[in-house]
Amino acid sequence: MVVIAVVMEIAQDAGLGDTQVIALSLADPGRFGLLYDRYEVSLYRYAYRRAGPGMAEDLVAETFLVAFSRRERFNPVLGDARAWLFGILTKEISRHHRRERARLRAIARACLAEVDTDLTDQALVDTDARAARAALASALADLSCGDRDVLLLIAWSGLSYAETAQALGIAVGTVRSRLNRARRNVRAALGGADPTRLMGE
């Protein structure tokens, strides 16, 4: 009987919206775990790309700790918690912005250092890919934190302009201008190519 009750409770919880989950978690903190189940993977992927494997788990854990401690302040008008959680994660990443910039520069150097002298067709393709990755990492490192946050929230996490504005606490117009500036700078650094357009919209 206990197993059936647990299964029924899990099924009921799965149908709850994020706002309901957060409201219920105020009286029953264990319910907050549903948000973790829903968003941990996408937050981890984003943190992994921005901060690397060594930091990603810690950043996601810190994001959920902050979200849990601030859950009573969640605005139910927002509906789902996705943008709210990405906003918290982005703030956690920004605390480590020097580390992120250093990581991007290290990726750029490492990609360039791996150039293979064997010039078979596959080696040429691999060399071109490493050079493009190095140039992109360098271009991202050169962006301001605000421009990089907007660009990567849209390109890597798939947030819309409105969600990005909500996550960062800025106006949609500011998102558009930062994204435009970031893409212009990335295009200039990559000789006219803009890989973020393919990833972002």
Side-chain angles (χ1 to χ4, degrees):
M1 289 302 263
V2 173
V3 173
I4 294 171
V6 169
V7 170
M8 288 179 65
E9 186 176 333
I10 290 170
Q12 285 176 333
D13 288 350
L16 296 174
D18 293 349
T19 301
Q20 293 169 306
V21 169
I22 292 169
L24 290 170
S25 78
L26 295 173
D28 180 5
R31 299 257 182 153
F32 196 82
L34 285 169
L35 291 185
Y36 182 87
D37 294 340
R38 290 176 185 174
Y39 296 108
E40 184 270 336
V41 171
S42 57
L43 291 168
Y44 179 81
R45 283 188 193 131
Y46 180 71
Y48 183 95
R49 294 175 96 172
R50 294 248 353 223
M55 293 284 302
E57 284 185 32
D58 291 342
L59 287 166
V60 171
E62 187 62 30
T63 296
F64 280 103
L65 284 172
V66 170
F68 181 79
S69 70
R70 296 180 185 165
R71 69 193 189 281
E72 70 282 347
R73 291 185 265 168
F74 178 75
N75 183 353
V77 173
L78 300 177
D80 71 49
R82 183 173 179 242
W84 179 61
L85 291 168
F86 270 102
I88 294 169
L89 176 57
T90 299
K91 286 180 183 133
E92 292 301 315
I93 291 168
S94 73
R95 291 183 183 194
H96 305 281
H97 73 276
R98 286 189 197 130
R99 204 177 283 175
E100 179 185 33
R101 184 169 278 174
R103 180 176 174 275
L104 288 167
R105 294 212 185 282
I107 289 171
R109 284 191 304 273
C111 289
L112 291 175
E114 291 175 5
V115 174
D116 197 331
T117 56
D118 177 11
L119 296 180
T120 63
D121 287 343
Q122 186 57 48
L124 286 171
V125 169
D126 291 346
T127 299
D128 287 346
R130 280 192 296 270
R133 187 171 182 220
L136 178 58
S138 182
L140 291 174
D142 289 340
L143 295 175
S144 72
C145 291
D147 289 357
R148 186 168 51 243
D149 287 344
V150 166
L151 178 70
L152 297 182
L153 278 170
I154 290 171
W156 285 354
S157 73
L159 265 62
S160 67
Y161 291 174
E163 289 173 320
T164 300
Q166 179 187 329
L168 298 177
I170 58 178
V172 173
T174 304
V175 169
R176 291 182 190 283
S177 63
R178 286 183 184 179
L179 182 63
N180 185 31
R181 183 172 48 244
R183 283 183 166 158
R184 189 173 56 244
N185 290 340
V186 167
R187 268 195 311 272
L190 299 181
D194 185 359
T196 65
R197 271 209 193 275
L198 299 175
M199 295 184 287
E201 293 170 304

